[in-house]
Amino acid sequence: MNPEFGQNISVVQLIIHASVPVQVVMALLLGASFMSWWFIFVKWFALKRARRVADRFEREFWGGGDINAMYQRVSAERDSAGELERIFEAGFREFMKLRRQAGQSVNVVIDGTRRAMRATYQRELDALESHLSFLATVGSVSPYIGLFGTVWGIMIAFMGLSSVAQATLAQVAPGIAEALIATAMGLFAAIPAVIGYNRYTHDIDRLANRMESFMEEFSNILQRQVAKSA
Amino acid sequence: MIAANDAPHYSRPGPNLAAGLLALGVHIAFLLLLVVGVSWQTDHPEPVMVDLWDALPAPPVAVPEPQPRPDPPPPPEPVKAVQPAPAAPPRPAPVAQAPDIALEKKKAETARLEKLKALQAAEEKALADAARAEADAVRQARDKQLAEQKRRDLLRQMEEDELMQRMAEESAASELRQAREAEARLAAARRQAEIARVVGQFRDKISATVRGNTRLPDDLKGNPEVRFRVRLLPTGEVIDVRRTQSSGNPAYDEAVERAIRKSSPLPLPADREAREAFVPELSLVHRPKE
């Protein structure tokens, strides 16, 4: 095959014959893309599980079961428990401890319980949001990395053109095609990352809202109980 | 007052392998799509070449039918064994009668008897000799016949061997010839396809060069076609441009003609056979847009 005319330019050949900086950019983007897809799937599974477990817990909680029995069960299986269950467990444990100390006012008991629940809530939210910043970074930066590779490749293609007397499109076409692959890869990495980031941020917000609502409602229930017994 | 069970509980999931495999699958699918689905190819249609050929390609050479295998010659008739006539035993000479003389009768008698005995012995000896000679002759004849038979068999065997070998050689040669012819035909077809491809490619290049040098008039409408006959030097220099069919827009015709002259030297393929489509005369069909 005559390289000057490039009859059959396959993607693989273009990648193999690309200049080293462009190849480095491509490898970088491939790695970023792979990692972002990995986190997309990790988060997808994790959020699906979180939603399912939260649904189950809320059904059980509002189904009028015994809170003490529920607390026993949750503290026994802490590792497999969901986010809402852990918040419930932390709040109820603090509540029990404060109740045991005699002479505490209602406000002190409820404030302490709420603080305990909020701490667990922050921790759970932090765990849920892990890796999301990576998706955001890939989504915003990889098009620029791809663009850098493209600009570099086109620069090299035109530099090669300077040595020939008569410039034809066939002399630069392979170089430009090779360079544009870098942009394509950047976009391929960025688009799913951005979509995943937006989707998961929204999902986590909804979960956070659920957890906060539960905290408030649970505080109310506990407060009522304290007031009743007092 | 800080109890151990006050410590916050962390549950960090380990790396998710299923997610990693799924991510790998996504990339492999994308790569396959890219490699298999997308291929940038600039194929030039073959029919463009049909009217440019001076001579049609030679028709395929008829393959000679393989000759039928000749029958081996009939084996020579075995020669009938020659039965040698048995040699007649020599007749014993008639015994002469001795004169019957009384006196010497006994003597004579004994002599006669002796003589007779001797004669008988001689006769017997002759008979035995004859029989031995006869047996010798028979044995010799049989030996000779056997040797003859053996020689003929050997000769026939050799002839057959030679024939078989010749036939095998012939068939091998014809197979080789056929294979070589098929290869040559294939190579010729491939060569023609290659030439057609190069010609199409350079046709596109020339069109692109001319198009790049054309300054289109302002009043041009549509995509009019103009035909030129361009005489070229082997180096691609334009000698003469002749319009064979106008587009109906004289300004456009002029512009294209100027563009052809400006494009001199036109790009030509290095291959001599491919260049025959362009040199010495090139018929150029031009449209402002592709």
Side-chain angles (χ1 to χ4, degrees):
Chain A
M1 201 180 80
N2 194 335
E4 193 190 341
F5 307 125
Q7 282 299 304
N8 301 311
I9 304 173
S10 79
V11 181
V12 177
Q13 273 180 333
L14 280 181
I15 292 173
I16 290 169
H17 293 135
S19 56
V20 174
V22 179
Q23 274 179 340
V24 168
V25 164
M26 283 176 185
L28 212 66
L29 287 173
L30 197 70
S33 168
F34 182 78
M35 288 312 287
S36 70
W37 272 99
W38 190 324
F39 290 144
I40 283 170
F41 283 116
V42 166
K43 285 283 113 182
W44 186 30
F45 294 152
L47 286 175
K48 218 164 84 175
R49 178 179 174 276
R51 269 199 303 274
R52 200 185 58 232
V53 173
D55 283 349
R56 199 188 60 202
F57 176 75
E58 281 190 332
R59 228 178 299 123
E60 192 185 346
F61 186 80
W62 298 115
D66 181 15
I67 288 185
N68 270 313
M70 220 189 289
Y71 170 72
Q72 295 299 331
R73 185 182 64 74
V74 171
S75 40
E77 49 189 48
R78 272 169 118 183
D79 281 322
S80 65
E83 288 79 8
L84 268 184
E85 285 165 326
R86 278 200 283 264
I87 290 171
F88 161 77
E89 189 242 344
F92 198 67
R93 190 177 50 210
E94 190 63 30
F95 175 74
M96 300 273 272
K97 277 182 196 156
L98 288 169
R99 279 294 298 278
R100 248 181 264 129
Q101 296 173 1
Q104 299 284 3
S105 73
V106 178
N107 279 343
V108 171
V109 172
I110 295 306
D111 279 350
T113 308
R114 196 176 266 176
R115 267 197 302 275
M117 285 200 287
R118 182 147 293 274
T120 310
Y121 162 78
Q122 298 287 3
R123 209 173 293 126
E124 294 300 328
L125 210 60
D126 183 58
L128 278 178
E129 281 179 345
S130 67
H131 302 318
L132 268 192
S133 70
F134 180 81
L135 286 186
T137 308
V138 168
S140 56
V141 167
S142 64
Y144 295 121
I145 300 177
L147 199 63
F148 168 74
T150 297
V151 167
W152 193 275
I154 289 179
M155 262 162 58
I156 287 174
F158 279 115
M159 273 184 220
L161 203 60
S162 65
S163 59
V164 294
Q166 200 173 16
T168 62
L169 193 59
Q171 282 158 339
V172 283
I176 291 175
E178 156 213 309
L180 284 173
I181 287 179
T183 302
M185 287 176 79
L187 293 178
F188 174 73
I191 292 168
V194 171
I195 291 175
Y197 176 75
N198 287 341
R199 171 78 202 270
Y200 296 150
T201 320
H202 175 71
D203 282 358
I204 289 169
D205 273 354
R206 286 182 59 198
L207 267 175
N209 279 342
R210 261 170 99 167
M211 290 191 256
E212 277 188 40
S213 309
F214 173 78
M215 277 156 53
E216 299 301 315
E217 283 158 351
F218 189 47
S219 306
N220 277 343
I221 289 171
L222 292 177
Q223 193 169 13
R224 245 182 284 135
Q225 211 170 3
V226 174
K228 217 194 289 172
S229 63
Chain B
M1 275 307 271
I2 298 171
N5 63 350
D6 269 357
H9 178 74
Y10 288 99
S11 72
R12 284 274 178 273
N16 198 328
L17 208 68
L21 288 180
L22 275 171
L24 201 67
V26 166
H27 286 82
I28 288 170
F30 177 72
L31 210 72
L32 279 181
L33 197 78
L34 208 65
V35 172
V36 178
V38 185
S39 53
W40 290 290
Q41 293 196 335
T42 49
D43 271 343
H44 299 280
E46 300 279 328
V48 174
M49 293 312 304
V50 172
D51 56 343
L52 290 172
W53 288 106
D54 295 342
L56 283 170
V61 184
V63 181
E65 282 287 311
Q67 279 156 0
R69 200 185 139 106
D71 289 329
E77 284 288 312
V79 183
K80 287 274 189 290
V82 184
Q83 288 293 335
R91 282 275 99 195
V95 182
Q97 284 290 320
D100 203 352
I101 300 156
L103 229 172
E104 290 175 347
K105 203 173 179 177
K106 244 186 180 168
K107 216 172 150 184
E109 186 66 13
T110 49
R112 200 180 57 86
L113 272 174
E114 268 173 16
K115 217 172 184 179
L116 206 73
K117 221 181 267 174
L119 270 171
Q120 267 178 348
E123 200 176 340
E124 270 171 14
K125 194 170 176 257
L127 265 170
D129 280 354
R132 202 163 43 241
E134 190 186 347
D136 276 356
V138 168
R139 198 169 57 241
Q140 263 174 13
R142 205 174 54 230
D143 283 354
K144 208 172 156 193
Q145 192 191 338
L146 269 173
E148 178 75 4
Q149 183 76 22
K150 207 180 263 178
R151 200 174 59 83
R152 277 171 199 277
D153 281 354
L154 205 67
L155 215 64
R156 199 171 64 218
Q157 186 67 37
M158 274 165 70
E159 269 173 11
E160 271 175 14
D161 281 356
E162 199 183 345
L163 200 73
M164 294 287 273
Q165 199 180 344
R166 213 167 48 229
M167 257 156 44
E169 273 169 9
E170 260 173 28
S171 75
S174 96
E175 261 170 33
L176 197 71
R177 203 170 54 237
Q178 277 175 31
R180 219 178 283 139
E181 276 168 6
E183 203 175 303
R185 269 203 305 282
L186 199 70
R190 213 179 288 138
R191 172 99 183 108
Q192 277 177 12
E194 172 70 16
I195 289 172
R197 192 180 64 72
V198 171
V199 167
Q201 192 185 327
F202 273 89
R203 211 154 253 282
D204 286 0
K205 282 183 101 176
I206 290 173
S207 288
T209 312
V210 171
R211 196 170 287 120
N213 284 329
T214 308
R215 297 180 67 89
L216 294 175
D218 296 335
D219 60 341
L220 185 71
K221 285 190 187 66
N223 199 6
E225 183 182 296
V226 59
R227 287 167 187 270
F228 285 98
R229 202 158 268 283
V230 185
R231 278 162 53 73
L232 293 177
L233 284 179
T235 53
E237 307 278 346
V238 175
I239 309 170
D240 183 29
V241 182
R242 202 150 43 80
R243 193 171 62 234
T244 51
Q245 193 191 324
S246 169
S247 65
N249 186 335
Y252 170 62
D253 294 352
E254 282 289 312
V256 176
E257 194 175 324
R258 270 200 305 277
I260 293 170
R261 289 187 191 284
K262 199 176 164 190
S263 306
S264 174
L266 292 174
L268 287 182
D271 189 302
R272 185 204 293 269
E273 282 182 63
R275 207 159 52 202
E276 277 172 14
F278 301 98
V279 178
E281 204 167 60
L282 162 71
S283 66
L284 189 72
V285 180
H286 192 77
R287 292 191 192 84
K289 298 172 196 108
E290 260 178 294

